[in-house]
Amino acid sequence: MIRIPFHDGWSVGPKLGAFESRTAATASVPVTLPHDALRNLPRSAESGQGVHAGYIPGGVFEYARSFDVPREWADKTVRIEFEGVYRDATVFVNGDFAAHEPNGYTAFVVDADPFLRFGEENTLTVEARVHRDSRWYTGGGIYRPVHLVVADPVHIALDGTTATTTDIDADRAIVEIATIVENGTRHTATRRVRWSIVDADGAAVATGDAPITVLPGEQATARLRVPVAQPRLWGPDSPYLYRLRTELTDAAGAVIDEDETPLGIRRLQLDAARGLRINGETVDLRGACIHHDNGPLGAISVADAEQRRVRRLKEAGFNAIRSAHNPASRALLDACDREGMLVMDELTDVWTKSKTAFDSSIGFDERWRCDVAALVAKDRSHPSVVLYSIGNEILELATPHGATWSRRLAEEFRRLDPTRFVTNGINGIIANLGHLAEIAAADPNTMMADMGERMALMNASAFITDSIEESAAVLDVVGFNYADSRYDLDAELFPNRVIVGSETFPDRIASLWADVRRLPHVIGDFTWTGWDYIGEAGIGRVDYTDAPGYEPTGTAGPFPYLLAACGDIDITGHRLPASFYREIAYGLRTEPTIAVHRPQHHGRPVAKTPWSWDDVVSSWSWDVAPGSPVTVDVYADAEEVDLLLDGVSIGRSAVGSPRALIARFETTYRRGELTAVAYRDHVEIGRSSLRSAADPVLVVRAEHAEMAADGLGYVEIAIADADGVLLCDADRLVSVTVSGGSLAGLGSGRARTEESFGADAVTTFDGRALAIVRADPTADQVRISVTADGLGSADAVIGVR
């Protein structure tokens, strides 16, 4: 199989009607795939997409490229593989309709053979549409990779090889392999399939082969059970990967097709007494819900971006992610395999009842089997995937017909892949909106923000218990969104029920994690969210209510809010104080963390949502007068904390107020070194310090010395002193130029902004910004030059391999 990346040579412009002509304003522009057609569109408070998409409008877009088709391909099978087009993709080859895929997250394959012109140039056109079809920022266009696949007419099916390992002992594991072979000819074909399992060093540890006969126009499956001696097991702490190589040979033994599949040998077990076990060891899921956009890049999925995000989430203490609320990209799953990140991969946000005007509920009743099949085909070779989620806060779930859909979906997942567990993100209140007149008219996010303890009581009510029982009973693991009030209750009512906190409020992690550790039937917690994202703008913001003209807006952040502002990690990959609090709550961090409330806002009244964290920064460099009042929080798993400035104690404070794991101090600002020392039983258990910065300089640093020719390079931009201490009160506009490459994205963690990720200048936020670059095809290095008013310029160089 020739599998050609199909990412260069594309152009994109607005889709025009049949009787319209392009003008300067509607001209197509060259782009490299994956590409987000929405990211650079002008934002407006009047955008039809509104707060859900960060006030970025939708549109209809047309991608096009030309490609040569050699005459020798006339004897081949030629297909075009799209990993994701958002949304309602319509594909034309040489102007003729070839395919339509309504689901914006489903991979699909176009059979190009009937439309190709051999020995000449061909054209490929893809239309994509984005309108009021989601509750978050989706991006738009061909935002995941595309491949041109050229194969013998008798070939291995795409995603056609699977390997399962349920029979595992210390001295051997039995790998059950199945490979689907397709015959596109008019004649019966007999071929041979050869398999080899290779370890991380490339040595073969198991081999086998089998003949296979495939009738014309049909598929057949070749199977093998093969032992791997002394297997290295895949797990979250030791993600060892083998590779399964598959070859299809003709009668003479020549290889006519080949494929490679990741293989992680691991055993999954689940019960209410011991929770989730991987390779016999109980694993509590330290989970992060994430959306699919990649911050300054927009919604595109690129291997380097997904690898960086997963690695940083793992470093922050997470061992699991939930792909909310759509199937994960292949690149993300590849990264999770390598990093040992467990995955709950989610099918959809809606079934048959809509949440937005044009969402995927339209046609779901006809399309659902194809959507499930596409997700399973993508996931079943990834050891990182342990849970399939059939939905999120489904509106019809509490009805008899909703329970029927629950069972239908769960059973289809089990039929296609019986080796993993099935869950669903259930919110009993959302599922009963039609029966709860007092809240039915409210926006669901605003309702959850306002109800507080009432929501917990309602979720634990007998009414909710009865209404969701059947839909919950079809699951292996019952996911509860914002319903930890059910954890103890369900241990009594449903002693065999296994639960996961599929979506929870961030500031409650201390008590939530204590529940996970205390209750064996609760296997983990997934916070909203691990990584900040575009859209649902301002859902985690902090408002100062004495600001002139302030009006409460519930969870909807007013324009120009762009980001949700609720991640432990911001869109640039920078860990915020909430991230370190969580790491302490998990029991993974002994050093305390200092979080300083911005002194320029001291004493002002604030309004927050349940997804908000405090407006704090881990900094002791502030542009306020000496003696200005300031509130300092210290996060610590300790009994008390001593706070010192330049070695002199400011005072001691008990841990636990204003909430668990926090000691709060009221003091005054003076430059110097602020140190927090945590004590338990009067014995020091950890300390950390913040130092005031000296005069600012412009710091530009590449995260890695090299980048792949087809990859991304990340460059950190900071306003800091000569020792690298950031000045969070010295933000300024920085301008970026690139030689040997181009800017793929430029941004900061600022949630409320009118700046574009596609510009060549950005204002730092708390002293930081991030530039992301691509290399030119012939470049051997990329130079990134940055200038800032009053600070001159600085460069970074990344080699290209």
Side-chain angles (χ1 to χ4, degrees):
M1 170 189 309
I2 304 171
R3 201 163 184 268
I4 305 168
F6 216 43
H7 298 149
D8 299 325
W10 290 85
S11 64
V12 66
K15 166 64 179 172
L16 302 181
F19 303 104
E20 295 179 287
S21 299
R22 293 205 180 273
T23 65
T26 60
S28 295
V29 297
V31 294
T32 298
L33 302 185
H35 175 257
D36 181 356
L38 299 190
R39 187 196 67 169
N40 297 344
L41 295 182
R43 300 169 60 225
S44 165
E46 287 72 43
S47 164
Q49 301 286 84
V51 66
H52 299 303
Y55 302 98
I56 298 175
V60 185
F61 309 95
E62 183 177 81
Y63 289 80
R65 72 156 291 170
S66 300
F67 62 105
D68 292 325
V69 178
R71 290 190 183 279
E72 54 267 30
W73 284 8
D75 296 325
K76 301 290 186 179
T77 293
V78 182
R79 291 164 291 173
I80 304 160
E81 178 190 37
F82 295 90
E83 292 189 24
V85 180
Y86 202 93
R87 181 187 137 182
D88 274 313
T90 310
V91 182
F92 299 87
V93 180
N94 292 322
D96 294 317
F97 172 82
H100 173 240
E101 175 50 59
N103 190 316
Y105 301 103
T106 293
F108 64 100
V109 177
V110 177
D111 182 3
D113 292 338
F115 311 101
L116 294 178
R117 299 168 185 164
F118 299 98
E120 59 182 280
E121 188 176 75
N122 288 242
T123 61
L124 177 64
T125 306
V126 181
E127 298 174 2
R129 296 159 176 81
V130 185
H131 36 102
R132 294 179 59 198
D133 51 26
S134 182
R135 299 185 300 112
W136 58 87
Y137 177 75
T138 61
I142 309 175
Y143 72 104
R144 288 180 179 176
V146 181
H147 292 91
L148 185 68
V149 182
V150 183
D152 190 272
V154 182
H155 53 262
I156 301 168
L158 290 173
D159 295 318
T161 296
T162 60
T164 57
T165 55
T166 57
D167 184 357
I168 303 172
D169 292 319
D171 61 337
R172 101 303 178 244
I174 300 300
V175 181
E176 299 181 30
I177 305 171
T179 294
I180 299 172
V181 178
E182 298 175 333
N183 182 0
T185 74
R186 295 184 294 111
H187 308 285
T188 298
T190 298
R191 302 289 187 265
R192 183 170 290 273
V193 182
R194 297 196 308 231
W195 297 277
S196 62
I197 298 172
V198 299
D199 63 17
D201 297 322
V205 297
T207 60
D209 62 276
I212 185 169
T213 297
V214 194
L215 298 178
E218 294 191 7
Q219 295 180 339
T221 302
R223 296 184 182 274
L224 179 73
R225 298 180 78 252
V226 60
V228 173
Q230 308 299 321
R232 297 278 300 274
L233 301 186
W234 187 97
D237 297 325
S238 56
Y240 190 88
L241 285 173
Y242 296 89
R243 306 296 297 181
L244 171 59
R245 294 174 180 166
T246 305
E247 295 179 334
L248 184 67
T249 64
D250 61 16
V255 176
I256 60 173
D257 202 358
E258 58 187 346
D259 198 9
E260 189 171 273
T261 308
L263 171 61
I265 298 176
R266 54 109 173 97
R267 181 196 305 112
L268 300 180
Q269 295 170 279
L270 181 73
D271 62 75
R274 287 173 286 188
L276 173 67
R277 286 182 289 165
I278 301 178
N279 303 324
E281 296 184 5
T282 297
V283 175
D284 292 326
L285 300 177
R286 304 188 300 269
C289 297
I290 60 171
H291 270 321
H292 71 279
D293 72 82
N294 268 300
L297 294 171
I300 69 173
S301 178
V302 179
D304 285 345
E306 305 289 29
Q307 180 72 37
R308 179 178 183 266
R309 175 160 57 162
V310 171
R311 184 175 63 251
R312 294 205 170 195
L313 286 164
K314 195 75 184 289
E315 291 169 352
F318 294 109
N319 67 2
I321 60 171
R322 176 191 181 203
S323 178
H325 305 292
N326 48 262
S329 70
R330 291 178 180 173
L332 181 67
L333 297 184
D334 287 339
C336 291
D337 289 344
R338 291 188 291 265
E339 296 294 329
M341 183 71 80
L342 304 172
V343 178
M344 177 195 297
D345 203 4
E346 195 149 87
L347 177 67
T348 182
D349 186 50
V350 295
W351 294 346
T352 60
K353 297 185 74 171
S354 66
K355 294 178 180 176
T356 56
F358 301 102
D359 63 23
S360 60
S361 64
I362 303 168
F364 179 83
D365 60 320
E366 299 176 349
R367 194 185 62 246
W368 68 274
R369 282 190 177 88
C370 294
D371 293 348
V372 172
L375 189 153
V376 172
K378 170 178 62 67
D379 286 20
R380 61 189 174 191
S381 294
H382 291 281
S384 56
V385 179
V386 297
L387 288 162
Y388 292 128
S389 171
I390 62 176
N392 169 68
E393 295 183 341
I394 299 300
L395 294 172
E396 63 266 42
L397 178 138
T399 69
H401 283 286
T404 299
W405 274 107
S406 299
R407 179 171 287 103
R408 188 178 289 151
L409 286 157
E411 290 306 315
E412 184 68 3
F413 271 104
R414 293 187 180 106
R415 184 183 71 82
L416 295 173
D417 183 2
T419 70
R420 291 174 170 89
F421 304 117
V422 178
T423 187
N424 190 1
I426 296 175
N427 186 320
I429 295 176
I430 299 296
N432 281 283
L433 283 180
H435 301 286
L436 303 173
E438 60 182 296
I439 60 173
D443 170 72
N445 280 343
T446 301
M447 176 269 295
M448 289 191 287
D450 292 342
M451 288 183 63
E453 292 303 315
R454 286 181 59 209
M455 185 173 69
L457 292 173
M458 291 176 67
N459 261 319
S461 68
F463 173 76
I464 297 292
T465 298
D466 294 341
S467 69
I468 67 172
E469 182 180 6
E470 185 176 358
S471 287
V474 309
L475 305 171
D476 302 308
V477 179
V478 179
F480 279 134
N481 289 11
Y482 311 107
D484 50 291
S485 56
R486 296 204 61 91
Y487 292 178
D488 284 293
L489 175 66
D490 282 11
E492 299 178 8
L493 297 178
F494 309 101
N496 296 316
R497 178 177 285 183
V498 179
I499 291 172
V500 66
S502 43
E503 192 170 316
T504 62
F505 293 127
D507 67 352
R508 301 195 58 224
I509 185 57
S511 63
L512 292 167
W513 195 248
D515 286 343
V516 172
R517 301 297 295 165
R518 176 175 61 88
L519 300 169
H521 71 289
V522 180
I523 65 172
D525 176 272
F526 286 79
T527 189
W528 194 268
T529 60
W531 193 283
D532 203 13
Y533 57 96
I534 306 170
E536 291 192 309
I539 194 175
R541 72 193 185 281
V542 175
D543 287 337
Y544 292 94
T545 59
D546 60 351
Y550 170 78
E551 293 183 7
T553 57
T555 59
F559 183 82
Y561 269 101
L562 171 63
L563 308 179
C566 66
D568 277 21
I569 301 174
D570 75 15
I571 63 163
T572 72
H574 175 63
R575 291 182 66 184
L576 301 174
S579 173
F580 295 97
Y581 180 93
R582 183 177 308 279
E583 191 178 13
I584 291 168
Y586 284 153
L588 301 177
R589 181 182 180 88
T590 57
E591 296 82 6
T593 292
I594 304 173
V596 181
H597 294 249
R598 299 179 192 271
Q600 62 267 41
H601 299 311
H602 186 270
R604 297 181 65 187
V606 300
K608 301 196 300 183
T609 80
W611 295 277
S612 303
W613 198 257
D614 294 321
D615 187 12
V616 292
V617 185
S618 291
S619 174
W620 197 241
S621 299
W622 299 98
D623 186 19
V624 296
S628 297
V630 61
T631 303
V632 177
D633 287 346
V634 178
Y635 308 154
D637 184 10
E639 293 174 350
E640 60 178 355
V641 172
D642 192 10
L643 190 65
L644 304 93
L645 182 59
D646 292 334
V648 178
S649 177
I650 294 173
R652 287 198 176 212
S653 181
V655 175
S657 179
R659 57 180 178 268
L661 305 179
I662 296 180
R664 176 161 290 179
F665 298 84
E666 295 293 340
T667 185
T668 56
Y669 177 70
R670 179 170 58 82
R671 292 175 53 82
E673 184 174 47
L674 188 70
T675 301
V677 185
Y679 292 90
R680 185 182 297 119
D681 295 328
H682 307 292
V683 175
E684 179 181 332
I685 59 172
R687 65 171 58 206
S688 61
S689 297
L690 298 174
R691 185 172 59 78
S692 300
D695 293 337
V697 296
L698 179 62
V699 179
V700 178
R701 185 186 71 85
E703 291 184 357
H704 299 285
E706 287 189 326
M707 60 183 288
D710 60 350
L712 298 173
Y714 285 79
V715 179
E716 298 175 357
I717 302 168
I719 311 299
D721 67 11
D723 294 326
V725 179
L726 267 69
L727 287 85
C728 64
D729 267 3
D731 287 321
R732 62 197 69 197
L733 188 71
V734 296
S735 299
V736 180
T737 57
V738 180
S739 58
S742 59
L743 263 178
L746 177 66
S748 75
R750 190 184 309 277
R752 185 183 175 96
T753 179
E754 295 188 61
E755 295 178 319
S756 169
F757 296 131
D760 59 5
V762 69
T763 305
T764 60
F765 179 62
D766 288 339
R768 302 181 64 260
L770 180 73
I772 310 169
V773 297
R774 286 192 175 97
D776 288 340
T778 60
D780 57 6
Q781 69 174 28
V782 179
R783 179 176 295 275
I784 301 92
S785 300
V786 184
T787 60
D789 290 343
L791 297 180
S793 63
D795 291 1
V797 175
I798 306 175
V800 180
R801 64 181 185 275

